[in-house]
Amino acid sequence: MSVQATAIKPGSARKSPPPKPYHHGDLRREILCAARTLLEENNIASLSLRAVAKKVGVSHTAPYRHFKDKESLLAGVAAIGFAEIGSQIARAVEMHPGDPAAQLQEAGQRYVQLVMDNPQCVQLMFGGILPCDDTYPDLRAAGDLAFERLKMIIEEGQSSAVFKQDDVELLAMTAWSCIHGLSVLFIHGSLDIAASTTLEIHTFTKAVTATLLNGIGTG
Amino acid sequence: MSVQATAIKPGSARKSPPPKPYHHGDLRREILCAARTLLEENNIASLSLRAVAKKVGVSHTAPYRHFKDKESLLAGVAAIGFAEIGSQIARAVEMHPGDPAAQLQEAGQRYVQLVMDNPQCVQLMFGGILPCDDTYPDLRAAGDLAFERLKMIIEEGQSSAVFKQDDVELLAMTAWSCIHGLSVLFIHGSLDIAASTTLEIHTFTKAVTATLLNGIGTG
DNA sequence: ACCTGAACACCGTTCAAGT
DNA sequence: ACCTGAACACCGTTCAAGT
């Protein structure tokens, strides 16, 4: 039943069976994955490095071979989160070529869904636990990329005169604020909406996005 | 040099010098205050109950007389935060009587300022560490009150036909999302704005609020 | 009633040691 | 190179005991 079926590539059997360093193929990825899971299962305050190590089946000091410290591991998880936001925006763009208003609408829906699915990760990404500066370049880069994708939607909208000719950063920031704020208030349960269905959340998001589009639109 | 100057109130010296229960007048408030300070000095992950107790000058188990556990103490701090949001909104209303658009603008500015001044507390309030349900009634009540104040602005705007006749909760939620999201992105340092002056932040906030007002305004 | 000190199980991190 | 186990200082929480 082992996955280690060790299919021997003919002709390559000369030197060594694949390195298999001690226990794991790539412990780094496994640690990140386990951390992500444990993070969402509880909350950020109660995520422990030792628990992550145990889940992976490795001694509690092993993660230190791959991450400088706990914060560095958290930064890795957060970077994955930003990468996913970037991917979702890219997908939204693909779905509605030539229609920036629809792209923004779609991206908003996907953003909210992502936050609802990974609330604790979002908390980690935006919560002020991780430093904002360039301590973790990968984290910074992933965040910047997501924001660039959003700005491209805005720029396309300005080119086709659907969005007003304002500062791009300003409009992008406005859009992100609106959707991000909405998502955060959702997971916080500020309204009784927390208990409501996904459908209602989508309806709500659509309404908010409409208002946003109304605000940044031309005329 | 002791503060314990013990000025004896003439005529009241009969029974007892003021109760002075062991050490502190009201340890509960002192603990909340110390927790708030320590929270902002570091971050939420590294706030420890023992450090709070030490700062107050009391044994590390003393807080358990006033709070069921650490989470309960955090809930107390968060409730103070929500109360302050409510106060700021109320002040914004007072400043611009009869002008709901200006009230919303003013409340937005004050909200952003409050978040900038207490980023870690905001993280605590909205971060998903505290449960959303009715575990902490005071916390819930403080949050609800702040939201009610915001809704009153919206309703006044609808009465005087400056805001469109949409669902009140929807418009209020849209406004809060927009401002809250902006604040969070500010403290996250998503843009290079993090390093910029308070003035620029105010300008930015004004622009976003204008877009918001444009979105929720009448025709 | 209010506070203390010892005790317990847990945590992050370091380091010498093993393969 | 990669992983382990012992060790350290810290943490949240409980509990018998003190005033």
Side-chain angles (χ1 to χ4, degrees):
Chain A
M1 289 304 188
S2 169
V3 187
Q4 295 283 61
T6 341
I8 299 163
K9 263 189 287 177
S12 77
R14 200 143 60 93
K15 255 290 161 63
S16 53
K20 192 194 171 194
Y22 238 72
H23 271 126
H24 294 84
D26 51 6
L27 184 54
R28 189 174 198 282
R29 193 191 314 274
E30 271 191 81
I31 288 172
L32 281 171
C33 184
R36 229 163 92 92
T37 306
L38 287 178
L39 176 64
E40 292 301 338
E41 280 175 7
N42 300 278
N43 67 53
I44 207 170
S46 54
L47 175 70
S48 91
L49 207 52
R50 288 168 107 111
V52 172
K54 184 191 273 187
K55 187 178 172 73
V56 174
V58 94
S59 96
H60 67 271
T61 58
Y64 285 89
R65 285 298 119 198
H66 301 275
F67 301 95
K68 185 184 153 269
D69 48 15
K70 187 184 181 183
E71 190 181 86
S72 179
L73 165 59
L74 292 178
V77 174
I80 294 175
F82 277 113
E84 286 180 353
I85 289 179
S87 302
Q88 293 301 327
I89 297 177
R91 211 158 305 174
V93 171
E94 289 167 17
M95 282 181 65
H96 304 277
D99 187 348
Q103 287 171 10
L104 206 54
Q105 182 97 252
E106 179 74 30
Q109 293 285 356
R110 287 170 175 271
Y111 192 98
V112 171
Q113 188 61 50
L114 203 59
V115 173
M116 301 291 289
D117 290 341
N118 309 277
Q120 294 298 326
C121 187
V122 170
Q123 152 85 342
L124 170 64
M125 292 158 66
F126 294 97
I129 285 165
L130 267 18
C132 307
D133 52 32
D134 287 280
T135 315
Y136 304 104
D138 291 357
L139 175 61
R140 178 77 170 213
D144 286 351
L145 177 61
F147 191 59
E148 287 304 318
R149 291 236 165 91
L150 174 59
K151 280 198 284 191
M152 284 172 63
I153 297 181
I154 300 293
E155 279 163 358
E156 185 173 344
Q158 290 180 318
S159 298
S160 47
V162 240
F163 300 154
K164 59 183 177 183
Q165 299 298 327
D166 231 332
D167 180 65
V168 183
E169 302 246 331
L170 175 63
L171 291 189
M173 193 76 168
T174 304
W176 195 355
S177 295
C178 207
I179 297 300
H180 181 77
L182 183 64
S183 311
V184 171
L185 294 188
F186 270 149
I187 61 178
H188 171 64
S190 303
L191 293 180
D192 304 326
I193 306 174
S196 53
T197 68
T198 306
L199 182 64
E200 288 177 43
I201 288 169
H202 270 78
T203 309
F204 219 99
T205 306
K206 198 183 279 183
V208 170
T209 315
T211 300
L212 169 68
L213 286 170
N214 186 27
I216 70 174
T218 49
Chain B
M1 290 305 192
S2 167
V3 187
Q4 294 285 56
T6 341
I8 299 163
K9 261 189 292 176
S12 77
R14 201 143 56 94
K15 256 287 163 64
S16 52
K20 191 194 171 196
Y22 237 72
H23 271 127
H24 295 83
D26 52 6
L27 185 52
R28 189 174 197 282
R29 193 192 315 275
E30 272 191 80
I31 289 172
L32 281 171
C33 184
R36 228 163 94 91
T37 307
L38 286 179
L39 176 65
E40 292 301 338
E41 279 174 8
N42 299 278
N43 67 52
I44 207 169
S46 54
L47 175 70
S48 91
L49 208 53
R50 288 168 106 111
V52 172
K54 184 191 273 189
K55 186 178 174 72
V56 174
V58 96
S59 96
H60 67 270
T61 57
Y64 284 89
R65 285 297 121 196
H66 300 275
F67 301 96
K68 186 183 152 267
D69 50 16
K70 186 184 182 183
E71 190 181 87
S72 179
L73 165 59
L74 293 178
V77 175
I80 294 175
F82 277 113
E84 285 179 353
I85 289 179
S87 302
Q88 293 300 327
I89 297 178
R91 211 158 304 175
V93 171
E94 288 167 18
M95 282 180 66
H96 304 278
D99 188 348
Q103 288 170 10
L104 206 55
Q105 183 97 254
E106 179 73 32
Q109 293 285 355
R110 287 171 175 270
Y111 192 99
V112 171
Q113 189 61 50
L114 204 58
V115 173
M116 301 291 289
D117 291 341
N118 309 277
Q120 295 297 326
C121 186
V122 170
Q123 152 85 343
L124 170 63
M125 291 157 66
F126 294 96
I129 284 165
L130 267 18
C132 307
D133 52 32
D134 287 281
T135 314
Y136 304 104
D138 292 357
L139 174 60
R140 179 75 170 214
D144 286 351
L145 177 60
F147 191 60
E148 286 304 318
R149 292 238 165 88
L150 173 59
K151 280 199 284 191
M152 283 173 63
I153 297 181
I154 301 292
E155 279 163 359
E156 183 173 345
Q158 290 181 318
S159 299
S160 47
V162 242
F163 299 155
K164 59 183 177 184
Q165 300 297 326
D166 230 333
D167 180 65
V168 182
E169 302 248 330
L170 175 63
L171 291 190
M173 192 79 169
T174 304
W176 195 356
S177 295
C178 206
I179 297 299
H180 181 76
L182 182 64
S183 310
V184 172
L185 295 187
F186 270 149
I187 61 177
H188 171 64
S190 302
L191 293 179
D192 305 325
I193 305 174
S196 53
T197 68
T198 306
L199 183 66
E200 288 177 45
I201 288 169
H202 270 78
T203 309
F204 218 98
T205 305
K206 197 183 279 184
V208 170
T209 314
T211 301
L212 169 67
L213 285 170
N214 185 26
I216 70 174
T218 49

